[in-house]
Amino acid sequence: MKIIVPPIKIQWIKTKLVEFIISYVDFNIDWKWIEPFMWSGVVWFNFAPKNALFCDTNPHTIKLYQWLNEWKIDHFDVKNHLEKEWKILSEKWVEHYNHIRERFNQDWNPLDFIFINRSCFNWMIRFNRKWWFNVPFCKKPDRFAQSYVTKITNQVKNIQSLMKQNNWEFRCQDFRETIKNASKDDLIYCDPPYIWRHVDYFDSWNEQDEFDLHKLLTTFWWKFVMSTWHSNDYRSNEYLNTLWNDCIIKTTEHFYHIWWKEKNRNPVTEAIIMNYKKEHICEKNDKTIKKNILQNKLIHV
Ligand SMILES: C[S@@+](CC[C@H](N)C(=O)[O-])C[C@H]1O[C@@H](n2cnc3c(N)ncnc32)[C@H](O)[C@@H]1O
């Protein structure tokens, strides 16, 4: 299966988990896909639902996708912007990076967001409480290669082509607002910050958030699928046995590459939680997931 990669590079991205997640999604094409924690959006790009609502409290990722969805910018703008700014960056280095970062923190321009995301230290995405980007510069000359610009502009092109074919909306809002307004013909896919594993200001998550999310997802009639962590080398997610024990849970092994170095591969057992009783489908998936992935088929039951 060819995976569509988003135009922003982001830590904790689920690119390698897309097949695992999608294979358990029981989705009718007439329903609406609701994603309260959009982040990079890699799961829905690859699922490509016809009707969808994507939300997040991160105003920068939402604004970027809103602008692409409304065609305020396209891949030519991204190409021109990167070529122009990277040319100056290759002469002035950190001075120019800091200039663009400052401009971005004032204007919140999505083109500058793509630029700093691709020029900063290890492609980290991190903000302070005011949503100012605060990752420092990293000098890596290979970033200015024309092939790298082409790669990013192609990613933008792919996303916009999906946007053109489908009816998608993007909103910057809290998950409670998003889920409260869902209806019974919606499928909710959640990828919240993983409890006890996130510490950034912009991405904080506490027990009350986890309780609220559980209550909202399980009290009503809609179907949901949620990603979370099951365990790592040191501990387990205790909420799976307590809070979420009324749901179906499936797991898989996964490695997150944090600093893109072999020694920083973090082995994690990932979990997905579902509320609908489709055990036979889950069993079928377990047996056929590999076959279907090899044949480039998704399972829509
Ligand atoms: C771990 S990321 C999800 C990863 C993503 N789906 C992917 O695969 O690339 C969690 C996201 O939740 C968002 N978030 C944190 N708290 C939130 C809240 N209260 N309501 C909505 N979104 C929130 C963060 O901004 C972040 O984008």
Side-chain angles (χ1 to χ4, degrees):
M1 178 180 175
K2 194 171 180 308
I3 300 290
I4 297 171
V5 179
I8 39 176
K9 223 168 153 80
I10 231 159
Q11 61 271 28
W12 306 114
I13 192 158
K14 294 212 147 34
T15 314
K16 295 216 166 76
L17 284 165
V18 167
E19 289 162 4
F20 169 68
I21 296 165
I22 288 178
S23 69
Y24 285 103
V25 170
D26 176 21
F27 188 67
N28 180 318
I29 198 73
D30 298 325
W31 297 346
K32 191 169 178 180
W33 175 276
I34 308 268
E35 195 156 336
F37 309 89
M38 186 194 73
W39 199 222
S40 72
V42 69
V43 173
W44 56 268
F45 285 157
N46 287 282
F47 197 74
K50 241 176 135 41
N51 296 300
L53 172 64
F54 304 106
C55 304
D56 202 287
T57 44
N58 183 335
H60 300 298
T61 46
I62 291 291
K63 189 172 176 183
L64 169 66
Y65 288 132
Q66 279 173 338
W67 277 35
L68 292 172
N69 198 34
E70 293 161 19
W71 291 79
K72 286 187 177 165
I73 49 172
D74 64 12
H75 64 281
F76 291 115
D77 299 311
V78 172
K79 180 175 181 289
N80 293 339
H81 192 75
L82 289 179
E83 283 175 352
K84 178 176 156 243
E85 300 302 348
W86 272 343
K87 186 168 182 312
I88 307 173
L89 190 73
S90 68
E91 290 154 11
K92 298 191 170 175
W93 299 108
V94 67
E95 186 191 333
H96 191 59
Y97 173 83
N98 287 345
H99 164 69
I100 304 283
R101 193 179 60 178
E102 216 169 284
R103 183 170 80 186
F104 168 72
N105 285 336
Q106 281 171 17
D107 304 346
W108 293 20
N109 185 318
L111 290 172
D112 281 341
F113 181 41
I114 296 179
F115 170 85
I116 50 171
N117 169 236
R118 298 295 182 145
S119 315
C120 71
F121 180 72
N122 279 328
W123 304 282
M124 283 286 295
I125 293 225
R126 202 184 57 207
F127 304 90
N128 68 12
R129 283 181 198 276
K130 293 179 176 167
W131 286 106
W132 291 359
F133 194 78
N134 59 16
V135 183
F137 178 56
C138 179
K139 193 171 178 175
K140 279 194 179 166
D142 56 333
R143 287 185 180 169
F144 314 120
Q146 192 58 43
S147 58
Y148 194 47
V149 176
T150 307
K151 186 173 162 185
I152 301 166
T153 50
N154 282 341
Q155 287 165 351
V156 169
K157 214 163 146 182
N158 291 341
I159 296 312
Q160 279 197 308
S161 126
L162 287 173
M163 287 170 164
K164 211 157 132 184
Q165 296 164 42
N166 298 296
N167 180 21
W168 293 349
E169 191 190 342
F170 300 84
R171 279 192 224 150
C172 184
Q173 62 187 25
D174 185 83
F175 72 88
R176 296 165 188 87
E177 192 61 26
T178 309
I179 300 176
K180 264 193 309 208
N181 291 310
S183 77
K184 75 175 173 36
D185 286 342
D186 297 336
L187 183 128
I188 303 175
Y189 169 66
C190 286
D191 185 8
Y194 287 180
I195 182 103
W196 301 142
R197 291 205 19 230
H198 277 256
V199 286
D200 290 320
Y201 291 138
F202 76 96
D203 206 6
S204 65
W205 190 257
N206 59 32
E207 196 170 73
Q208 190 56 52
D209 292 319
E210 190 87 1
F211 285 157
D212 287 352
L213 181 59
H214 174 266
K215 193 167 177 196
L216 278 167
L217 288 177
T218 55
T219 308
F220 300 99
W221 52 80
W222 44 64
K223 293 182 175 190
F224 78 84
V225 178
M226 181 180 130
S227 291
T228 189
W229 68 290
H230 174 277
S231 52
N232 60 23
D233 284 350
Y234 313 102
R235 42 195 193 137
S236 303
N237 181 352
E238 62 191 74
Y239 296 90
L240 290 183
N241 295 328
T242 52
L243 189 63
W244 298 100
N245 70 358
D246 50 350
C247 302
I248 298 167
I249 299 174
K250 294 280 162 183
T251 59
T252 189
E253 294 303 313
H254 183 59
F255 285 89
Y256 282 104
H257 294 247
I258 300 307
W259 303 112
W260 285 271
K261 281 185 187 159
E262 196 64 21
K263 73 177 172 61
N264 288 322
R265 279 156 46 98
N266 284 0
V268 171
T269 300
E270 278 277 322
I272 51 169
I273 303 176
M274 295 159 277
N275 66 336
Y276 44 88
K277 302 287 179 219
K278 285 262 179 192
E279 291 287 12
H280 61 290
I281 287 168
C282 292
E283 279 166 25
K284 186 182 118 199
N285 272 3
D286 289 340
K287 287 187 199 129
T288 57
I289 177 169
K290 214 169 162 190
K291 190 166 147 237
N292 280 302
I293 288 165
L294 285 174
Q295 291 172 355
N296 197 11
K297 272 195 242 158
L298 303 181
I299 306 164
H300 289 198
V301 189

